[in-house]
Amino acid sequence: MSGLYARESRSVSTMAHLRFFPQAVTGGHGSYLTGEDGRRLLDLSASWGAASLGHSHPALRDAVNRALSNQAGASYLSSANEPCVRLAEKLLTLVPERARGRVWFGHSGSDANETVARMVVSATGRPRILAFKGAYHGGTVGSMAVSGHPAQQGARAAGLTLVPYPDSYASGGPEAAKREALEALERALASEAPPQEIAAFFIEPVQSDGGMLVPPDGYFQAVEAICRKHGILIVADEVKVGLGRTGRFNAFEHCRIEPDIVVFGKGLGGGLPISAVVGPETVMNHAVAFSLQTVHGNPVCSAAALAVLETIEGDRLAENANATGRVLFEALGRLAATQPLIGEVRGRGLALGIELVTDRGTRRPASRQAALTVYRAYQLGLVLYYVGVHSNVLELTPPLTLTEAQALEGAAILGQALDDVQNGRVDENLLAGFAGW
Ligand code: PLP
């Protein structure tokens, strides 16, 4: 264990920790982090997708420097500021017509989803919310209240109904998954969740923390039709998989739906804290002083977000996510051909998941092996974590700037790590103190 890691354990609380191995870093450039021990670590997590442009991207650095050298205050609570307004204007051009009203700014996916959860109930007068089992919409009281991830230690909202997300691997195919999930939704609407009482349905176009589940074709179009029929607002949580990561700017575009409200976070600031909710004016302007924290709309973070959006567009990073994602997906597919622990490789663009199983026939989750694999990968110079309701899905959300060579390098290291785990070459005692989630 490095000196920094040990010092941290004597000074920093563990309450926000989600640790998989004793990682301590001192810097980073592009897709690589620098370990305290001087090792170069290929970062295929990008801090859970937040470092969307990789580390120390010059466009982000320049934008932040400019904004800080003549700082237009620190907040939009009591004053308009140029970067914040420009960012709102830009975001309004990036969402479907029905969401093109006003933008609210926060710090994180959590405060954004919490605001939406309160806002839709307050604006519509309907008390209920639909969301998915396995969904992670945030770690604050109000965002946990509309989430469905089993790892969370918080209460759910009284008006929340959780329905199953279609899982094509578990159901044995996309058609069965779609049918089962839609039937469960219809059952919920016919019983505990009367549709006329539901304000909104929180959806993830790819359910990331629930296991990087890709919805079957047509599933969300069917959901959209149900929501339109009953006047239920569709909230697309694009926090982890949006902003070009899936190969299109918005992940919901793959589903061919048009949400009413779009939530951005993580990669929006490229590593700086900023989130945004974009939605119709009737909802977004239904109250004042309704959801605010002092440095919301911070001009420095807003300038960073503008630089992120300009770089995604200017450097065609959605196209890169698509092309590099395909190279990575195919390399992982080749690993799956020789590595029995891999049950399925899935995802879109540079949002990929690898489900590990102890037996491909029964699809039994290989949770311990997932923990050992990410630990071993770290020892070999690769950073990635795992997700899933059974903690057995390796998650890849690398910088959108990832190159094909880096994708192949990552797949090769991961192949070695899986091999070492499969052949019992990784000491299980290493996991003591690294519970993950
Ligand atoms: N929504 C999704 C889909 C997420 O994956 C996350 C975080 O993992 C959040 C919301 C919450 O974002 P944050 O942790 O930045 O508050």
Side-chain angles (χ1 to χ4, degrees):
M1 194 179 286
S2 73
L4 183 57
Y5 205 86
R7 264 174 56 213
E8 188 209 45
S9 70
R10 292 191 294 273
S11 55
V12 178
S13 157
T14 57
M15 280 199 291
H17 282 184
L18 192 55
R19 295 290 167 92
F20 303 86
F21 35 80
Q23 185 180 191
V25 296
T26 55
H29 285 99
S31 299
Y32 294 91
L33 290 164
T34 311
E36 196 204 4
D37 53 6
R39 288 192 306 143
R40 220 162 79 111
L41 302 164
L42 178 59
D43 185 6
L44 291 192
S45 166
S47 297
W48 297 100
S52 48
L53 303 185
H55 306 288
S56 303
H57 193 286
L60 199 59
R61 197 177 52 219
D62 292 350
V64 167
N65 281 344
R66 264 198 312 279
L68 266 178
S69 61
N70 187 16
Q71 196 178 332
S75 161
Y76 80 150
L77 266 48
S78 305
S79 162
N81 73 71
E82 175 82 20
C84 177
V85 173
R86 277 185 53 215
L87 179 59
E89 289 166 350
K90 178 72 192 168
L91 286 169
L92 287 171
T93 68
L94 296 170
V95 299
E97 180 68 35
R98 60 188 308 122
R100 213 169 286 162
R102 296 289 186 274
V103 184
W104 172 97
F105 289 108
H107 298 316
S108 65
S110 302
D111 66 5
N113 281 319
E114 174 162 333
T115 295
V116 176
R118 291 177 50 222
M119 175 182 82
V120 291
V121 167
S122 165
T124 64
R126 296 179 173 200
R128 295 182 178 279
I129 284 183
L130 282 175
F132 285 109
K133 291 180 182 165
Y136 186 96
H137 294 300
T140 58
V141 171
S143 56
M144 266 195 277
V146 294
S147 295
H149 200 286
Q152 291 178 308
Q153 302 168 34
R156 307 297 181 209
L160 178 72
T161 295
L162 295 172
V163 294
Y165 197 94
D167 181 340
S168 300
Y169 183 60
S171 297
E175 281 312 310
K178 182 162 79 179
R179 191 185 56 249
E180 287 163 16
L182 286 172
E183 283 170 2
L185 174 59
E186 293 288 10
R187 273 197 305 276
L189 294 175
S191 55
E192 65 173 286
Q196 69 281 5
E197 293 182 15
I198 299 170
F201 193 171
F202 277 67
I203 67 152
E204 284 176 272
V206 172
Q207 192 183 65
S208 46
D209 292 326
M212 209 50 105
L213 303 176
V214 178
D217 278 351
Y219 169 73
F220 273 118
Q221 285 174 303
V223 168
E224 183 180 43
I226 293 169
C227 289
R228 296 287 170 252
K229 185 168 139 201
H230 299 294
I232 299 169
L233 295 166
I234 299 175
V235 180
D237 182 342
E238 296 268 321
V239 168
K240 196 189 277 185
V241 297
L243 303 169
R245 175 162 298 288
T246 61
R248 306 218 181 144
F249 184 80
N250 294 300
F252 61 74
E253 291 168 32
H254 294 276
C255 309
R256 294 195 219 69
I257 59 165
E258 296 202 345
D260 302 274
I261 295 171
V262 186
V263 183
F264 298 109
K266 288 194 193 259
L268 180 61
L272 273 76
I274 182 164
S275 58
V277 177
V278 192
E281 191 196 342
T282 44
V283 180
M284 304 298 297
N285 276 357
H286 86 287
V288 293
F290 178 82
S291 177
L292 54 117
Q293 293 174 50
T294 306
V295 289
H296 276 174
N298 179 278
V300 181
C301 295
S302 301
L306 269 167
V308 167
L309 296 178
E310 280 160 12
T311 305
I312 289 172
E313 270 182 5
D315 292 357
R316 304 175 69 85
L317 294 184
E319 287 87 335
N320 186 61
N322 195 31
T324 310
R326 189 180 309 269
V327 169
L328 186 52
F329 184 84
E330 285 169 3
L332 297 172
R334 287 192 293 278
L335 280 186
T338 58
Q339 181 42 259
L341 274 173
I342 298 181
E344 187 181 54
V345 179
R346 56 180 174 251
R348 295 196 195 281
L350 285 174
L352 296 174
I354 306 163
E355 178 153 353
L356 300 189
V357 293
T358 54
D359 174 337
R360 284 182 178 169
T362 60
R363 299 188 281 263
R364 193 153 162 248
S367 315
R368 192 178 44 81
Q369 290 86 341
L372 288 169
T373 301
V374 299
Y375 200 112
R376 181 64 182 144
Y378 171 69
Q379 290 180 320
L380 296 170
L382 174 68
V383 174
L384 81 167
Y385 312 120
Y386 57 82
V387 294
V389 294
H390 302 297
S391 304
N392 68 322
V393 180
L394 309 180
E395 184 186 79
L396 305 172
T397 54
L400 303 178
T401 50
L402 191 79
T403 66
E404 293 188 1
Q406 290 164 350
L408 295 175
E409 180 191 347
I413 299 176
L414 185 56
Q416 180 66 55
L418 284 163
D419 238 40
D420 289 346
V421 171
Q422 175 74 17
N423 293 304
R425 291 192 288 262
V426 188
D427 180 0
E428 307 240 349
N429 294 319
L430 288 171
L431 297 183
F434 296 98
W437 62 339

